[in-house]
Amino acid sequence: MSRPYIIEDEITLNGFTGPAHRPGDERYDELRRGLNPAVDARPAVVAEAYGVADVRAALLAARAHGVPFAVQATGHGTHAAADGGVLVRTSPMASVLVDPARRIARVGPGARWGEVLAAAAPSGLAPLSGSAPGVGVTGYTLGGGLGWLARRYGFAADSVLRAEVLLADGRHVTASADSHPELFWALRGGGGGFGVVTALEFRLHPVSRVYSGFAYFPIEAAGEVLEAYRTWIDGAPDELSTAVVLRRMPADGPLPGRHVVQLKVVHAGEEAEGRRLLAPLWRAAGPALLDETRTTTYAATAMGGTPNRHMSMLEEVPGAVVDLLVEAAGQAQTVEVRHWGGAMGRPGPDAGPVSHRGTRLSVIVDTPVPGLAEALRPYDNGGTFLNFLADPRRTAEAYAADDHARLRRVKRAYDPDGFFRVGHVVPA
């Protein structure tokens, strides 16, 4: 029989079987942190859940005591602190099951993409994973999920088939096209403010090997490369995903400390064809300082991401924007221009609320650059993307107006008193 944990002498987690960590405990500081250093969360307790019953016990305790409740697997999506509340860590709930015949994966809420990649690869299958294997599957997918196969197969949210969800009142339901269809719609891009997803099922795709990696060029070529990129993307096939990155290299990697143009590439096809398609960009950039592109398994492809301190979504990159980005690269560590489009802009009739699907390009800057946001605003389409949004106050900007109104109706139906209120949450 499980024993309750007493937190701050007032919150009791009846029925909770996992370890609970309070301020002053050995692992409390380690487990309360997310990846965003600006968020210094101070929950009353960090509870490591081993199953649905544990999550429910923590949820009901937070509800009974009127304190904030939050869920965290890897901490990548932590943008608000659950101070004084209950923080549930789902990392122990990391099961991954792959059905190769049906091309489906079922994962627990603590699973990371690296574990799904490893389970799917022997069958020649791939998930629509993120930029790094350590990213948590569930939070990434609920926020839309822009991966390096998205131009070919769409957002990760578009491949979701079913979710098991613990609701604010403690009920455990299955959301799918046939069961709780409005909740199912909301979960596929609407974030985690509708319930705690305790299991997720999604399609896998027939991708085994890709031509991928990085090529580096002198920073002096930045203007020419971006000028070429702005028109080159018009002819890029869906199988090819790219980004142009202006960055200063770290001291402990290749080309240490050097300021470079980095070309990121994932081509779900043959290397020869990928190189042929990229040739115009290569000509604009000149001889490479270093070419790390190669044919490899998709599971071994780790593209890395750019921490988001500023994001703009653009339809075009006119010459004035090229000048702004080259100038910003002198002040920022990294400026990334990424091509969207392809299947992301062709949603099915039952697609979830991932918005701004028509966006062609995004700009992400990892360092605050004074005046950059204002200078880019005339060229910005006014949208944002939930996975890349650091400010929860701007959540509404991640959705079309009609979708946001529908999300609010779903919120009122499933969480009418706003129990889930930490992070990117649509209000009831």
Side-chain angles (χ1 to χ4, degrees):
M1 186 173 183
S2 61
R3 65 183 180 89
Y5 285 82
I6 309 299
I7 300 104
E8 300 288 322
D9 296 322
E10 60 182 57
I11 302 177
T12 303
L13 295 182
N14 289 308
F16 195 84
T17 64
H21 309 271
R22 295 170 287 177
D25 288 350
E26 182 180 357
R27 299 192 64 207
Y28 172 81
D29 283 335
E30 170 195 347
L31 293 173
R32 68 181 174 85
R33 290 196 183 99
L35 267 70
N36 185 347
V39 180
D40 185 24
R42 299 283 175 174
V45 62
V46 181
E48 294 185 85
Y50 288 168
V52 175
D54 279 348
V55 180
R56 180 187 284 113
L59 182 154
L60 294 177
R63 189 173 188 88
H65 290 276
V67 298
F69 176 85
V71 178
Q72 184 172 304
T74 64
H76 284 80
T78 302
H79 301 297
D83 290 340
V86 177
L87 172 62
V88 173
R89 293 283 308 212
T90 58
S91 304
M93 300 172 63
S95 61
V96 175
L97 297 173
V98 167
D99 182 338
R102 297 169 60 215
R103 294 182 179 175
I104 290 174
R106 175 185 171 88
V107 305
R112 303 176 185 231
W113 281 120
E115 295 151 353
V116 182
L117 288 162
S123 301
L125 300 172
L128 301 185
S129 53
S131 295
V135 173
V137 174
T138 300
Y140 168 91
T141 303
L142 297 182
L146 172 63
W148 287 89
L149 295 176
R151 284 180 38 78
R152 177 67 179 86
Y153 295 107
F155 293 100
D158 296 334
S159 284
V160 173
L161 298 170
R162 186 175 293 102
E164 294 182 7
V165 189
L166 189 65
L167 301 178
D169 60 8
R171 286 181 296 149
H172 196 227
V173 303
T174 297
S176 68
D178 302 317
S179 174
H180 298 274
E182 282 296 283
L183 177 61
F184 180 61
W185 173 82
L187 292 172
R188 290 175 295 146
F194 303 92
V196 182
V197 172
T198 60
L200 199 64
E201 290 187 16
F202 48 87
R203 295 185 192 91
L204 300 171
H205 300 276
V207 178
S208 177
R209 299 182 68 79
V210 294
Y211 166 59
S212 66
F214 314 115
Y216 304 90
F217 305 89
I219 191 63
E220 290 76 17
E224 289 82 357
V225 175
L226 288 173
E227 284 286 353
Y229 196 61
R230 58 187 286 203
T231 54
W232 173 87
I233 61 174
D234 293 338
D238 293 356
E239 292 78 13
L240 180 59
S241 292
T242 56
V244 174
V245 186
L246 316 182
R247 65 177 302 201
R248 193 171 298 280
M249 298 294 286
D252 59 350
L255 306 173
R258 183 148 185 180
H259 209 180
V260 300
V261 177
Q262 179 189 42
L263 180 61
K264 291 185 173 184
V265 178
V266 175
H267 180 237
E270 296 298 322
E271 179 172 338
E273 177 64 4
R275 288 188 177 275
R276 184 190 71 78
L277 291 166
L278 292 165
L281 293 182
W282 224 281
R283 285 195 295 271
L289 299 170
L290 178 64
D291 179 5
E292 295 183 321
T293 62
R294 66 202 189 285
T295 297
T296 185
T297 63
Y298 179 70
T301 300
M303 302 304 294
T306 299
N308 179 17
R309 298 296 176 263
H310 170 80
M311 179 183 184
S312 291
M313 302 178 85
L314 310 174
E315 306 311 316
E316 304 291 343
V317 181
V321 171
V322 170
D323 293 341
L324 286 169
L325 298 180
V326 172
E327 182 180 352
Q331 303 176 62
Q333 185 77 16
T334 307
V335 176
E336 178 179 294
V337 182
R338 182 166 174 174
H339 184 204
W340 289 41
M344 290 182 280
R346 300 190 298 270
D350 63 340
V354 179
S355 195
H356 309 294
R357 289 174 175 270
T359 293
R360 298 182 71 229
L361 296 144
S362 63
V363 173
I364 295 179
V365 185
D366 72 344
T367 310
V369 177
L372 179 62
E374 293 76 14
L376 288 174
R377 191 164 292 125
Y379 311 98
D380 196 309
N381 68 14
T384 188
F385 187 64
L386 201 65
N387 286 144
F388 298 153
L389 181 60
D391 186 355
R393 295 171 297 181
R394 296 179 55 204
T395 299
E397 297 175 27
Y399 304 105
D402 288 349
D403 283 346
H404 191 254
R406 185 177 173 186
L407 285 167
R408 294 192 67 176
R409 291 195 294 272
V410 178
K411 180 71 170 177
R412 287 194 294 270
Y414 285 91
D415 184 17
D417 58 356
F419 172 74
F420 298 112
R421 60 185 185 273
V422 178
H424 294 309
V425 176
V426 175

